[in-house]
Amino acid sequence: MTESLAPEAIGSIDPTEHSIIERLSTPQRTKADLRRIKCDPNYWYPVAWSRELKKGKTIGTRYAGHPIALVRPQEGSVFALEDRCAHRQVPLSKGRVEGEAVQCCYHGWAYGRSGRCIDVPYLGKGKLPNGVRTYPCREAEGLIFIFPGDPELADKTPFPKLGSVADPAYKTRRFGERVKCHYSFMHENLMDMNHQFMHSKQMGKMKPRYLGGENLPKMVEARYSFARTDGKQPWGETVVFGQRRDTSEKYAHRDVMTIRTEYPYQTLKISTDGQPPVMDLWIVYVPQDEEELTCRVFGLLSIRRPKLRGVLEAAWPLFVAFTNRIFAEDREIVELEQQAWNELGGDHNQEVFPVINMLRDLLARCGIQSPEVKS
Amino acid sequence: MTESLAPEAIGSIDPTEHSIIERLSTPQRTKADLRRIKCDPNYWYPVAWSRELKKGKTIGTRYAGHPIALVRPQEGSVFALEDRCAHRQVPLSKGRVEGEAVQCCYHGWAYGRSGRCIDVPYLGKGKLPNGVRTYPCREAEGLIFIFPGDPELADKTPFPKLGSVADPAYKTRRFGERVKCHYSFMHENLMDMNHQFMHSKQMGKMKPRYLGGENLPKMVEARYSFARTDGKQPWGETVVFGQRRDTSEKYAHRDVMTIRTEYPYQTLKISTDGQPPVMDLWIVYVPQDEEELTCRVFGLLSIRRPKLRGVLEAAWPLFVAFTNRIFAEDREIVELEQQAWNELGGDHNQEVFPVINMLRDLLARCGIQSPEVKS
Amino acid sequence: MTESLAPEAIGSIDPTEHSIIERLSTPQRTKADLRRIKCDPNYWYPVAWSRELKKGKTIGTRYAGHPIALVRPQEGSVFALEDRCAHRQVPLSKGRVEGEAVQCCYHGWAYGRSGRCIDVPYLGKGKLPNGVRTYPCREAEGLIFIFPGDPELADKTPFPKLGSVADPAYKTRRFGERVKCHYSFMHENLMDMNHQFMHSKQMGKMKPRYLGGENLPKMVEARYSFARTDGKQPWGETVVFGQRRDTSEKYAHRDVMTIRTEYPYQTLKISTDGQPPVMDLWIVYVPQDEEELTCRVFGLLSIRRPKLRGVLEAAWPLFVAFTNRIFAEDREIVELEQQAWNELGGDHNQEVFPVINMLRDLLARCGIQSPEVKS
């Protein structure tokens, strides 16, 4: 998840930067095991891609162990219900959409947009049983979001800005998959650019330089520049910059990568000389199981179109293959981190990079420490 | 598991029926979770099909977590032993049948019909160790039954009447498979004919009318008639009735389906105008694991032979394919019910159909509430 | 694991032998469940075959749940580290070997032979974090051994004599696989030759005669002779003896098989008329998981070369196939023993053979009773 890096660099964090960071750093380092902290459900989370849900159909999805039926009527917007019939708890997403209602496949109990039970084929209308929970639901830029927390808070909670996906100057890759790890491993992976080391087969040797960061109550930011110390620029990276770059001094540390966790989302932008970003990634890691030890990634990776039209489209398959190889490496390593945590029964990390410790504090501070998501 | 349904019908339970049912209904609704109730082992349960066990062979099977070796000597009847050698607990069913004994495959310890150890090849006869448990065992109509409970009660316990399987006027399909759910889900599935809704792809739209029921200490019965509201009669159903029936008023509610749980067995009969049943099903769901959350189905589905000989045989493959599709739908839904129960950690059913509540009471009342089957 | 057995024999343990054994037998029969006893880690255990680890590479292996990275630098001997980076606990065996160090694949932390962290690419040398645990490590006869216990004891602990593998008069088969059982089942399987019964398809009927044994604080030995009562000598056995033997009296009880558990290793030798052994097996069962309910077998099976050169090489594939069939039978049965133990939640063995009870006492006495290996 870390394409587009540039030539010749330094490496070790210099003492001045350290002191800046230490001033920013929060004193109350949390003692709870970060991998036991649940995501705060009082945010908007994507739970499916729009293309997965056809008109007149329903599909099942999950948020932190809660099964959710998404329903797209022939007319009108998508809605989201608890994916368990009130009768016998079988998935409503196995059912059938009739008008603005979904009928359970088993005995035909029907539920409307509000979750209320509106028909039991073999019962009088007067004695209809209780319905099912409903979730606030919105669709944007090819993603279906729900608000899994307190529905009263949904309207007041800002809907995320989805990077540059809506900007016609960009072409966007939508990607994501299930990864068997706590979402916090994903945040740390992306923000610690020292893990470039791992991608050297894909990218050649890149030395990151940490330029500084920000530490706010709900946001942590890290900025880097890079220098290529060995190997050629990979094709996928050429796509991002729209030009070939070699290992010469000319390109070392010219591009700035800004990675930000703005709870609970994450972004990564690459800019050269203060221009609009050549790459703009928006990404979120949505807990799937109740323990939140598996997440589903929803990523919008936007690349600025070069002046010459058609070039980006032509190079796109190369770019997709390149990013897939990077993602596969990242995925393997975070799943190994999770496995080590499982085997050791807890967190034994010995983190030495201050910005990552700030990020860990942020995730602990903004998440839910109780054993159960109260949603 | 619900073929053979007839034309044009009503649907919702009318108030008069309700009051009949309420009078029948037992007041002491059990508070225990039905899915934690174990089957009463003091009944005869089939554990294998006769065809699975050849002469001079032994096979392993299970009842509620208890491994059972069935042995068919070259001469004489089948017998059933605990499927663990007294020596090192490996399965006797991996062994070899010699005369009326089975020899463990590992060190050759031999056991007779009574379970007594009758030979250890490397020990004097004077010091033979203890043997293994034996189970009362009977074979009937292609099924091998054991009595898993108190052996003293075996002879006093009535052996089940196996539907019409022995009657030459019927042809019988023997069927069954492992289903990953508590046996109670199977009973409820078959007795609640409102689940016709689920089979509408296979059967067309059928409206069930509940005609009434019975509620006795060890038996619950429900009677239905049906009307086809849409779609054509499927071929498999034509086989059952021996004739085509359309959606005309003529056939609506003519056939009566009687479903009965006579603990621990279940039957379903379809009769027209008081004639002998055109279909007669005997079925039982035998717990496999100790938790009893998986069962093995043994079903005898008997179809009355039409006057014209050979017709039923010719149509049989169609009938088999039709019933298999129905079974597959039933199997999927009961396994989804079990999964929901697993995830929720208990029963959240909101049952509104009185006869099903009577059935649930019956199963709870006749089953074993303690955490362990005392057998 | 029990080839090479010879003609015509007796069978049951005679009373005289019993009394010898009883005198030898220790009075303090342990009450702890043998399958919960952990291997004593203060011995040398093989954890990999030399051929698995190429120069300049690292591989991951296990001892009793402890992940171990074996590293073979381009120059110098193999070394063994805890297979978890001190930073984020991912496997060092996924990393890269540079000189005499291994670099973690994720952020490039590097560790030397001593386990000390010698480089973090983005940190000053002055502030290097703690390293990882190291294990004493030796390589011999194609096996890589570690000492998983207290490193202080490694040098004082005798390194095992590996049968006849180093003797050019023998040809050795190296074999082994993971077996899903506690190591104690393996020891008992090999030492109780009454289990010849199980191999009668491979070997014909062989009657073992128990000739006596030894019972020392850290060693138990059993000696047997055999007689063929039925069937022809298998080809694999012919390879061992270098000649055909029939069922005639001439060969009955001529060969002596000596099986020894010299904690924690096991050996099996077959000798005829006091000659050097025709077969010499050295074998050990190394716990893989923390519960020690899976083991990995490392076996060195040495066959004395016959005078006629080239014969053994020519017959080797036959011998390999024969021993593989024997191993497969042994493996199936010990895994069934383990499964029975799992289901029953403990040991229900009813052992009647005194030498096996002595062996069980030895394994309990020499193993670790506490729930955790203190290593």
Side-chain angles (χ1 to χ4, degrees):
Chain A
M1 307 182 182
T2 55
E3 304 82 275
S4 80
L5 314 169
E8 263 334 288
I10 12 171
S12 63
I13 303 158
D14 85 46
T16 348
E17 287 162 11
H18 267 221
S19 57
I20 297 166
I21 291 162
E22 265 138 39
R23 267 185 290 121
L24 290 168
S25 178
T26 53
Q28 72 279 31
R29 179 80 29 100
T30 182
K31 290 296 162 281
D33 188 323
L34 179 56
R35 320 306 173 188
R36 297 189 204 276
I37 303 275
K38 308 287 176 77
C39 260
D40 184 350
N42 286 316
Y43 286 92
W44 288 96
Y45 291 92
V47 289
W49 298 101
S50 298
R51 61 170 179 258
E52 295 177 83
L53 182 57
K54 308 292 177 212
K55 270 196 179 180
K57 297 290 177 191
T58 169
I59 55 167
T61 182
R62 293 251 156 184
Y63 176 86
H66 298 276
I68 293 154
L70 299 177
V71 183
R72 190 190 296 284
Q74 285 292 348
E75 317 247 325
S77 60
V78 174
F79 60 94
L81 304 178
E82 181 185 351
D83 196 13
R84 288 193 176 110
C85 180
H87 181 207
R88 299 182 67 88
Q89 291 72 58
V90 294
L92 292 174
S93 58
K94 297 268 171 188
R96 163 195 313 180
V97 179
E98 293 282 338
E100 273 225 296
V102 59
Q103 273 183 300
C104 177
C105 70
Y106 199 1
H107 302 87
W109 291 32
Y111 302 86
R113 179 178 285 278
S114 68
R116 208 163 55 79
C117 180
I118 57 176
D119 187 40
V120 173
Y122 50 95
L123 264 195
K125 297 288 176 204
K127 26 181 140 176
L128 287 176
N130 294 332
V132 296
R133 182 177 170 182
T134 184
Y135 292 91
C137 184
R138 286 197 206 173
E139 195 167 7
E141 303 301 344
L143 282 168
I144 301 170
F145 289 78
I146 64 155
F147 192 88
D150 176 359
E152 299 283 311
L153 303 176
D155 283 343
K156 293 169 230 165
T157 304
F159 194 79
K161 195 199 162 304
L162 303 174
S164 297
V165 66
D167 182 342
Y170 290 80
K171 177 170 169 66
T172 296
R173 178 171 183 208
R174 290 171 168 79
F175 68 93
E177 52 186 348
R178 270 171 193 76
V179 182
K180 291 196 201 93
C181 75
H182 191 256
Y183 61 90
S184 59
F185 287 115
M186 303 297 286
H187 281 269
E188 294 176 76
N189 171 272
L190 189 62
M191 194 166 281
D192 189 347
M193 273 298 136
N194 296 305
H195 93 273
Q196 280 307 319
F197 182 84
M198 189 174 69
H199 298 308
S200 60
K201 260 188 210 163
Q202 308 307 330
M203 312 238 250
K205 286 197 180 158
M206 302 295 296
K207 260 213 137 182
R209 178 193 285 167
Y210 180 67
L211 306 176
E214 305 288 334
N215 191 13
L216 300 176
K218 294 195 162 190
M219 193 266 271
V220 164
E221 182 183 289
R223 291 182 300 278
Y224 299 87
S225 64
F226 295 86
R228 176 171 302 282
T229 58
D230 198 15
K232 285 206 297 185
Q233 186 189 33
W235 277 99
E237 196 187 303
T238 308
V239 172
V240 173
F241 289 98
Q243 56 174 287
R244 301 268 332 135
R245 292 177 166 200
D246 54 29
T247 57
S248 70
E249 274 298 318
K250 184 179 158 201
Y251 292 114
H253 301 292
R254 226 182 100 184
D255 310 311
V256 173
M257 179 186 283
T258 306
I259 304 161
R260 199 181 264 193
T261 291
E262 225 173 321
Y263 195 85
Y265 318 108
Q266 203 166 29
T267 57
L268 183 155
K269 288 175 208 280
I270 303 171
S271 291
T272 307
D273 305 328
Q275 300 289 311
V278 290
M279 184 171 113
D280 192 354
L281 168 70
W282 179 91
I283 194 165
V284 66
Y285 320 107
V286 182
Q288 296 296 292
D289 56 317
E290 201 185 334
E291 300 289 293
E292 307 198 5
L293 299 179
T294 296
C295 61
R296 187 173 170 192
V297 176
F298 292 91
L300 302 169
L301 178 53
S302 301
I303 302 297
R304 192 163 182 86
R305 294 174 188 279
K307 276 154 208 165
L308 199 61
R309 290 194 57 97
V311 167
L312 191 57
E313 280 68 19
W316 203 248
L318 272 178
F319 175 67
V320 166
F322 170 72
T323 49
N324 280 354
R325 286 193 301 269
I326 302 285
F327 298 158
E329 289 180 343
D330 283 319
R331 178 192 182 143
E332 185 187 4
I333 203 73
V334 291
E335 293 190 342
L336 285 168
E337 287 193 280
Q338 182 64 57
Q339 281 171 36
W341 184 91
N342 295 349
E343 285 191 11
L344 294 168
D347 184 17
H348 284 62
N349 286 183
Q350 190 179 348
E351 192 48 68
V352 297
F353 190 22
V355 77
I356 297 302
N357 280 323
M358 296 187 314
L359 172 62
R360 291 165 64 101
D361 286 348
L362 169 79
L363 293 172
R365 194 166 66 229
C366 292
I368 304 292
Q369 296 226 15
S370 66
E372 279 289 326
V373 176
K374 284 154 204 148
S375 64
Chain B
M1 305 177 184
T2 54
E3 305 83 275
S4 80
L5 313 170
E8 257 345 279
I10 13 171
S12 62
I13 303 159
D14 86 45
T16 348
E17 287 161 10
H18 266 220
S19 57
I20 297 166
I21 291 161
E22 266 138 38
R23 266 185 290 121
L24 290 168
S25 179
T26 55
Q28 71 279 31
R29 177 82 28 100
T30 183
K31 290 296 162 281
D33 188 322
L34 179 56
R35 319 308 172 186
R36 296 190 205 275
I37 303 275
K38 308 287 175 78
C39 261
D40 184 350
N42 286 315
Y43 286 92
W44 288 96
Y45 290 93
V47 289
W49 297 101
S50 297
R51 62 171 179 259
E52 295 177 83
L53 182 57
K54 307 293 178 212
K55 270 196 179 179
K57 297 289 178 190
T58 169
I59 56 168
T61 182
R62 295 252 155 184
Y63 175 86
H66 298 277
I68 293 155
L70 298 177
V71 183
R72 191 190 295 284
Q74 284 292 348
E75 317 247 327
S77 60
V78 174
F79 61 93
L81 304 178
E82 182 186 351
D83 197 14
R84 285 191 177 113
C85 180
H87 181 207
R88 298 182 67 89
Q89 291 72 59
V90 295
L92 291 175
S93 58
K94 296 270 172 186
R96 159 194 317 179
V97 179
E98 293 281 339
E100 273 224 297
V102 60
Q103 274 183 298
C104 177
C105 71
Y106 200 1
H107 301 86
W109 293 30
Y111 302 86
R113 180 177 285 278
S114 68
R116 209 162 54 78
C117 181
I118 57 176
D119 187 41
V120 173
Y122 49 94
L123 263 195
K125 296 289 174 201
K127 26 182 139 175
L128 287 175
N130 294 333
V132 296
R133 182 177 171 184
T134 183
Y135 292 91
C137 184
R138 286 197 206 174
E139 195 166 8
E141 302 301 344
L143 283 168
I144 301 170
F145 289 78
I146 63 153
F147 193 88
D150 177 359
E152 300 282 312
L153 302 177
D155 282 344
K156 294 169 229 165
T157 303
F159 194 78
K161 196 200 161 305
L162 304 173
S164 297
V165 65
D167 184 342
Y170 290 81
K171 178 171 169 66
T172 296
R173 178 172 183 207
R174 290 172 167 79
F175 68 92
E177 52 186 348
R178 270 172 193 74
V179 182
K180 291 195 202 95
C181 76
H182 191 256
Y183 60 89
S184 59
F185 287 114
M186 302 297 286
H187 280 270
E188 293 175 78
N189 171 271
L190 188 62
M191 194 166 282
D192 189 347
M193 273 298 135
N194 296 304
H195 93 273
Q196 280 306 321
F197 182 83
M198 188 174 69
H199 298 307
S200 61
K201 260 189 209 162
Q202 308 308 329
M203 313 239 248
K205 286 195 179 158
M206 303 295 296
K207 261 212 138 183
R209 178 193 287 168
Y210 179 67
L211 305 177
E214 305 288 335
N215 191 13
L216 301 176
K218 294 197 161 187
M219 193 265 271
V220 164
E221 182 183 291
R223 291 181 301 275
Y224 299 88
S225 64
F226 295 87
R228 176 171 304 281
T229 57
D230 198 14
K232 286 205 297 185
Q233 186 189 32
W235 276 100
E237 197 187 304
T238 308
V239 172
V240 173
F241 289 100
Q243 57 173 286
R244 301 275 322 141
R245 293 178 165 198
D246 55 27
T247 58
S248 70
E249 273 298 317
K250 184 180 158 200
Y251 293 113
H253 301 292
R254 226 183 98 183
D255 310 311
V256 174
M257 179 187 284
T258 305
I259 304 161
R260 199 181 265 193
T261 291
E262 226 174 318
Y263 194 85
Y265 317 109
Q266 203 167 28
T267 57
L268 183 154
K269 287 175 208 282
I270 303 171
S271 291
T272 309
D273 305 329
Q275 300 289 312
V278 290
M279 184 172 114
D280 192 353
L281 169 70
W282 180 90
I283 194 165
V284 65
Y285 319 107
V286 181
Q288 296 295 293
D289 57 318
E290 200 184 333
E291 301 288 293
E292 307 199 5
L293 299 179
T294 296
C295 60
R296 186 172 170 193
V297 176
F298 292 91
L300 302 169
L301 178 53
S302 301
I303 302 298
R304 191 164 183 86
R305 293 173 188 280
K307 276 155 208 166
L308 200 60
R309 292 194 57 98
V311 167
L312 191 58
E313 280 70 17
W316 202 248
L318 273 177
F319 175 68
V320 166
F322 171 71
T323 49
N324 281 354
R325 286 193 302 270
I326 301 284
F327 298 158
E329 289 180 344
D330 283 319
R331 179 193 180 141
E332 185 187 4
I333 203 74
V334 290
E335 292 190 341
L336 285 167
E337 287 194 281
Q338 181 65 56
Q339 281 171 36
W341 184 90
N342 295 349
E343 285 191 12
L344 294 167
D347 184 18
H348 285 61
N349 286 184
Q350 190 179 349
E351 192 49 66
V352 297
F353 190 22
V355 77
I356 297 303
N357 281 323
M358 296 186 312
L359 172 62
R360 292 165 65 99
D361 286 348
L362 169 78
L363 293 172
R365 194 166 67 228
C366 293
I368 305 292
Q369 297 227 13
S370 67
E372 280 288 327
V373 176
K374 286 154 202 146
S375 64
Chain C
M1 306 178 183
T2 56
E3 305 84 275
S4 81
L5 313 170
E8 256 346 276
I10 14 172
S12 62
I13 303 160
D14 84 47
T16 349
E17 288 162 10
H18 267 220
S19 57
I20 298 167
I21 291 161
E22 265 138 40
R23 265 186 291 122
L24 289 168
S25 178
T26 54
Q28 71 280 33
R29 179 82 25 101
T30 182
K31 290 295 161 282
D33 188 323
L34 178 56
R35 319 308 173 187
R36 297 190 205 274
I37 304 276
K38 308 287 177 76
C39 261
D40 183 350
N42 286 316
Y43 286 92
W44 288 96
Y45 290 93
V47 290
W49 298 101
S50 297
R51 63 171 178 258
E52 295 177 82
L53 182 57
K54 307 293 177 211
K55 271 195 177 180
K57 297 289 176 190
T58 169
I59 55 168
T61 182
R62 294 252 155 184
Y63 175 86
H66 299 276
I68 293 155
L70 298 177
V71 183
R72 190 191 295 282
Q74 284 293 346
E75 317 246 327
S77 60
V78 174
F79 61 93
L81 305 178
E82 181 185 352
D83 197 13
R84 287 191 176 110
C85 180
H87 181 208
R88 298 182 67 88
Q89 292 71 58
V90 295
L92 292 174
S93 57
K94 297 270 172 187
R96 153 191 328 175
V97 180
E98 293 281 338
E100 273 225 297
V102 60
Q103 273 183 300
C104 177
C105 71
Y106 199 2
H107 301 87
W109 293 31
Y111 302 86
R113 180 178 284 278
S114 69
R116 209 162 55 77
C117 181
I118 57 175
D119 187 40
V120 173
Y122 50 94
L123 263 195
K125 297 288 175 203
K127 25 181 140 175
L128 288 176
N130 294 333
V132 296
R133 181 177 173 185
T134 183
Y135 292 91
C137 184
R138 285 197 206 173
E139 195 166 9
E141 302 300 344
L143 283 168
I144 301 170
F145 289 77
I146 64 153
F147 192 88
D150 177 358
E152 300 282 312
L153 302 177
D155 283 342
K156 294 170 231 164
T157 304
F159 194 77
K161 195 201 160 304
L162 303 173
S164 297
V165 65
D167 182 342
Y170 289 82
K171 177 170 169 65
T172 296
R173 178 172 182 206
R174 291 171 167 78
F175 68 91
E177 53 186 347
R178 270 171 193 76
V179 182
K180 291 195 201 94
C181 74
H182 191 257
Y183 60 90
S184 59
F185 288 115
M186 303 297 287
H187 280 270
E188 294 176 77
N189 171 271
L190 189 62
M191 194 166 283
D192 190 347
M193 272 299 135
N194 296 304
H195 93 273
Q196 279 306 321
F197 182 83
M198 189 174 68
H199 298 309
S200 60
K201 259 188 210 162
Q202 308 307 331
M203 312 240 249
K205 286 196 181 158
M206 303 294 298
K207 261 212 137 181
R209 177 193 285 166
Y210 180 66
L211 304 177
E214 306 287 334
N215 191 12
L216 301 175
K218 294 197 161 188
M219 192 265 270
V220 164
E221 181 182 290
R223 291 182 301 274
Y224 299 88
S225 63
F226 294 86
R228 176 170 303 282
T229 58
D230 199 14
K232 286 206 296 184
Q233 186 189 33
W235 277 99
E237 195 188 304
T238 307
V239 171
V240 173
F241 289 98
Q243 56 174 286
R244 300 262 340 128
R245 294 178 164 198
D246 54 28
T247 58
S248 70
E249 274 296 317
K250 184 179 158 200
Y251 293 114
H253 300 293
R254 227 183 99 184
D255 310 311
V256 174
M257 180 186 282
T258 305
I259 303 161
R260 202 181 261 193
T261 290
E262 225 174 319
Y263 194 86
Y265 318 108
Q266 203 166 29
T267 57
L268 183 154
K269 287 175 208 282
I270 304 172
S271 290
T272 307
D273 304 330
Q275 301 288 312
V278 290
M279 185 172 114
D280 191 354
L281 168 70
W282 179 90
I283 194 165
V284 65
Y285 319 107
V286 181
Q288 296 297 291
D289 56 317
E290 200 184 335
E291 300 288 292
E292 307 199 3
L293 299 179
T294 295
C295 60
R296 185 173 170 193
V297 176
F298 292 91
L300 301 170
L301 178 53
S302 300
I303 302 297
R304 191 163 183 87
R305 293 173 188 280
K307 276 152 207 167
L308 200 60
R309 290 193 59 99
V311 168
L312 191 59
E313 280 69 17
W316 202 250
L318 273 178
F319 175 68
V320 167
F322 171 71
T323 50
N324 281 353
R325 287 192 301 270
I326 301 285
F327 299 159
E329 288 180 344
D330 283 319
R331 180 192 180 142
E332 184 187 4
I333 203 73
V334 291
E335 293 190 341
L336 286 167
E337 287 194 280
Q338 182 65 56
Q339 281 171 36
W341 184 91
N342 296 348
E343 286 191 13
L344 294 167
D347 183 18
H348 284 61
N349 285 185
Q350 190 180 348
E351 192 48 67
V352 298
F353 190 23
V355 77
I356 298 303
N357 280 322
M358 296 187 313
L359 172 62
R360 292 165 65 101
D361 285 348
L362 169 79
L363 294 171
R365 194 166 65 230
C366 293
I368 304 292
Q369 296 226 15
S370 66
E372 280 290 326
V373 176
K374 285 153 203 146
S375 64

